[in-house]
Amino acid sequence: MRVSDVAAAETVTAEAFHALEAAPGAPRTPARRPATRAERWQRRAEHLLRHDPGGCWVAEVDDHVVGVALSLRREGLWGLSSYGVVPRLQGAGIGKALLEAAIGHGAGCLRGIIASSHDPLAARRYRAAGFTLHPAMRLAGEVDRAVLPVVDGVREGSAGDVDLCDSVDRQVRGAGHGPDHELLLTRSSLLVCDQLTGSGYCFVEADGTPALLAATSQRVASRLLWEALARSQDGVAISFGGVTAEQEWAVDIGLAAGLAVHNEGYVCLRHMRPPAPYLPSAHFL
Ligand SMILES: CC(C)(COP(=O)(O)OP(=O)(O)OC[C@H]1O[C@@H](n2cnc3c(N)ncnc32)[C@H](O)[C@@H]1OP(=O)(O)O)[C@@H](O)C(=O)NCCC(=O)NCCS
């Protein structure tokens, strides 16, 4: 993949996910992401092309991009950040070739992580590549502000906390996120809890959605998640996925906050147990 492929690759993934989400028989809506989300996808792709050029691949037919796989490698951990094939060419082997190329970027990494959609074609590919499929939940809805507890010990983080975040990552999932923390800082705010008894961090979207959370204890993780939920606004629904059964602490907080629990996709892992307490980033894992 080259930088000049980024816009076309974004369109491919928008079409692939649009077809996956469209309910059978539903009226056809344009297969485009809102401009801000498309822009975010493109910045992420450019970031990965800079840091993981060998992990980013496109498939072409007649000089048109028809498939894409973006992957990253961080301290011995390989992860898949984006993966899609245009709907009319799915099921014909393009995805298999793309995934093999992307996994090649992780040569020498035993451990791997993917936040998978519920697409049976994707699940088939990941299992064939040796990943264990851990069924995941999504918590969604409006936070009941009346039940928000008073949280202490959590402060606003900054670029100066990136080393702390990496060190929590290493303890919880065996590898830091390195440069991905810097990109996340440009699109979300950072909450940090650093105490004698444990440390952790959480990136929070402007609407209160926790985008990535890691902590060395459930106590710290719970404080961070409550503080993230407190940032949500009245009348605005939030949602976060990639929640496996190991994150019961998060399921309990979500339910207590009035969110609904849905079953959605898998956290796919190779040569590692589900990190905990941990809420993965969909794209930086
Ligand atoms: C996931 C995706 C990238 C795979 O690409 P692809 O080109 O369709 O993949 P392939 O054709 O190489 O492999 C699909 C597998 O599913 C099988 N398959 C085809 N139709 C199927 C169906 N209806 N049900 C189940 N399996 C099916 C194929 O036979 C193939 O398996 P095999 O190689 O063991 O025979 C693509 O389907 C896609 O874009 N999905 C929507 C977006 C998405 O969910 N992306 C994953 C993000 S985590």
Side-chain angles (χ1 to χ4, degrees):
M1 181 174 177
R2 300 184 201 94
V3 173
S4 55
D5 296 317
V6 167
E10 188 282 319
T11 306
V12 165
T13 60
E15 285 175 12
F17 279 97
H18 180 75
L20 182 66
E21 302 310 335
R28 301 300 273 171
T29 50
R32 261 189 236 114
R33 294 189 177 97
T36 46
R37 285 190 51 217
E39 159 89 12
R40 270 186 171 219
W41 193 98
Q42 295 193 15
R43 297 293 85 78
R44 172 160 55 92
E46 287 161 6
H47 166 84
L48 293 176
L49 274 169
R50 227 172 7 258
H51 293 283
D52 302 85
C56 303
W57 294 82
V58 290
E60 284 183 343
V61 171
D62 298 333
D63 288 336
H64 286 94
V65 175
V66 296
V68 58
L70 303 181
S71 71
L72 50 87
R73 182 188 170 136
R74 302 283 174 266
E75 302 177 7
L77 175 66
W78 176 89
L80 187 64
S81 181
S82 194
Y83 185 38
V85 167
V86 288
R88 70 192 153 83
L89 294 176
Q90 287 176 9
I94 294 174
K96 182 173 191 213
L98 280 167
L99 189 62
E100 277 171 5
I103 285 179
H105 178 55
C109 297
L110 277 181
R111 292 173 306 114
I113 178 165
I114 304 170
S116 174
S117 69
H118 58 272
D119 186 359
L121 279 70
R124 188 174 174 94
R125 286 274 61 87
Y126 302 149
R127 183 64 201 123
F131 285 79
T132 298
L133 311 180
H134 298 267
M137 293 165 262
R138 171 169 293 278
L139 289 143
E142 274 178 44
V143 173
D144 177 358
R145 309 198 58 80
V147 302
L148 290 172
V150 175
V151 173
D152 54 17
V154 174
R155 64 169 168 82
E156 210 72 44
S158 68
D161 291 304
V162 162
D163 286 347
L164 171 84
C165 296
D166 275 330
S167 106
V168 172
D169 283 340
R170 287 184 197 110
Q171 198 163 324
V172 180
R173 59 164 218 164
H177 282 85
D180 306 329
H181 286 310
E182 281 149 36
L183 186 77
L184 282 162
L185 269 169
T186 65
R187 48 177 68 179
S188 36
S189 49
L190 175 61
L191 300 175
V192 170
C193 180
D194 189 17
Q195 312 230 306
L196 286 175
T197 49
S199 309
Y201 71 89
C202 179
F203 283 94
V204 192
E205 305 279 335
D207 66 358
T209 299
L212 167 65
L213 185 155
T216 60
S217 76
Q218 276 191 17
R219 218 175 124 82
V220 169
S222 302
R223 286 183 187 190
L224 287 162
L225 183 54
W226 275 119
E227 184 56 33
L229 299 183
R231 308 255 162 148
S232 68
Q233 288 128 40
D234 247 345
V236 179
I238 63 156
S239 96
F240 56 99
V243 182
T244 58
E246 286 73 15
Q247 318 304 335
E248 225 154 47
W249 62 274
V251 176
D252 289 344
I253 290 175
L255 292 175
L259 304 183
V261 63
H262 305 269
N263 176 219
E264 185 194 274
Y266 308 87
V267 174
C268 309
L269 299 170
R270 198 170 66 176
H271 291 292
M272 63 192 278
R273 293 286 313 144
Y278 192 67
L279 298 175
S281 148
H283 304 296
F284 295 111
L285 310 153

